[in-house]
Amino acid sequence: MKYEYPSVYETFRCIGGACPDTCCAGWEVDIDPDTYDYYMETEGEFGRRLRSHMTEDEDGDIYFPLTPEGRCPFLNRHDLCDIFSELGEESLCRVCTEYPRYYLPAGDYEQIDMSLSCMEVGRLFFSDPEPVRYLTQEDIMDGDPLTGEEVLRRDEILRRRDEMLAFMRKSHSETADSRFAALLARFPALSPESDEDLLSVMDRLELIDDRWNDVMIPIRTNLTAIQKHEREFLNCAGPEFDRWTGKLISYFLFRYCLNVFSSGSWENEMRFIRRSLRFIRLMCIAREMGLLPRSSYGGRLSGQEQQERCNCFTLSDMIDIAHLYSKQVEHSDGNVELLRTISGENIK
Ligand code: SF4
């Protein structure tokens, strides 16, 4: 197998109790079959505690429901995991072990990505002054077999994705926005979309995190003012924001292009990427205008990272905006599918 991943995969360490928005709250925890068997056999008081929280949903899947405060029942008051403390890291459910890593195999190739919904990933990702780097490793494992035609198709998708990533990485005099516009021009079937139409799609998303209402309502209410402020925002935000935009574009290209192998549609993936980038931009402007609540992540940034902030929109803002968007959109297959597939004529 050949594995490919962003460099942040190697440097990331979960910060546990110091995390400003722990992944152990807000999301129910799915219990995979192996972990289920292990928890069923766990003896003693802790085994009984595990089983007392295990719940079956209507599809027969087992999960830990959240407490009324919206937290995992094993997240203690120090924001540490009791399962980890009692039974060790190897006893966590698969989803807890893997997050914020995502795995997407295609035959003997596997793409590993790191989700920006984790703010520590975001801190490492955006504070690195270098363009995003992707690393590879190989081992002797076999992947699921593919036909010769499938291997050719997959390799062509990867070639095209890598060519777009290289285009974004090049040191151009053009902004990241212009380079992305040049990439989009390669997909003429993708018709332009107004911000109003984009908001109509965003209004249909399943609500994953209650804080999303604090994003949608101000943006919907102030869209015209946000649009008018964009030029001033970009002038003020300057090269730092342009660098973060370039990184975000690379993030989405790496994460979603390989989906073309199963979906067969470049347009759908590029539509999703374009919509994501545009909505994140609206969020950034709204944050700078004071329309969205500010995060408290600045406390974890080093002195140097604090200095990297632009005048009007900080690294802390960028980390927080990307994490809010990722939580609301990327962690719902339905939301990703909606943004990918619903096209112009079906919006209203
Ligand atoms: S969101 Fe990231 S840093 Fe925070 S607890 Fe989860 S994995 Fe750790």
Side-chain angles (χ1 to χ4, degrees), residues 299-336:
R300 272 204 50 81
L301 300 176
S302 68
Q304 188 191 342
E305 287 162 354
Q306 294 278 6
Q307 281 171 16
E308 284 183 16
R309 58 177 53 192
C310 66
N311 293 334
C312 53
F313 183 83
T314 67
L315 175 57
S316 168
D317 288 323
M318 191 68 255
I319 296 166
D320 187 40
I321 295 283
H323 124 274
L324 284 173
Y325 182 85
S326 178
K327 271 189 119 166
Q328 168 60 29
V329 173
E330 294 189 289
H331 287 275
S332 161
D333 291 344
N335 285 348
V336 172

Side-chain angles (χ1 to χ4, degrees), residues 204-216:
R204 297 192 193 184
L205 300 187
E206 170 201 11
L207 188 66
I208 303 297
D209 187 322
D210 284 345
R211 285 172 297 176
W212 192 246
N213 285 325
D214 296 336
V215 172
M216 281 307 296

Side-chain angles (χ1 to χ4, degrees), residues 12 14-15 19 21-23 99-100 118 120:
F12 171 77
C14 173
I15 55 174
C19 182
D21 189 16
T22 173
C23 53
Y99 181 84
C118 165
E120 179 62 6

Side-chain angles (χ1 to χ4, degrees), residues 9 12 14 23 27 29-30 32 34-35 89-105 110-115 117-118 121 331:
Y9 177 79
F12 171 77
C14 173
C23 53
W27 290 324
V29 176
D30 294 330
D32 55 281
D34 289 345
T35 309
E89 186 174 7
E90 61 286 357
S91 306
L92 298 176
C93 301
R94 189 184 308 145
V95 68
C96 300
T97 308
E98 291 183 350
Y99 181 84
R101 303 160 192 88
Y102 282 87
Y103 301 87
L104 182 57
E110 184 167 65
Q111 173 181 302
I112 307 172
D113 207 3
M114 302 293 289
S115 174
S117 60
C118 165
V121 170
H331 287 275

Side-chain angles (χ1 to χ4, degrees), residues 3-8 10 133-137:
Y3 306 89
E4 193 164 20
Y5 49 86
S7 56
V8 67
E10 292 191 337
R133 282 164 299 130
Y134 295 96
L135 311 174
T136 55
Q137 261 189 43

Side-chain angles (χ1 to χ4, degrees), residues 265-281:
S265 169
W266 275 100
E267 273 71 28
N268 281 359
E269 301 311 320
M270 295 308 288
R271 181 184 293 114
F272 173 78
I273 294 171
R274 183 181 66 180
R275 282 174 168 166
S276 296
L277 291 164
R278 182 60 193 162
F279 196 78
I280 289 173
R281 171 65 55 81

Side-chain angles (χ1 to χ4, degrees), residues 119-131:
M119 294 177 87
E120 179 62 6
V121 170
R123 187 185 71 80
L124 295 167
F125 183 80
F126 288 113
S127 61
D128 182 353
E130 299 302 319

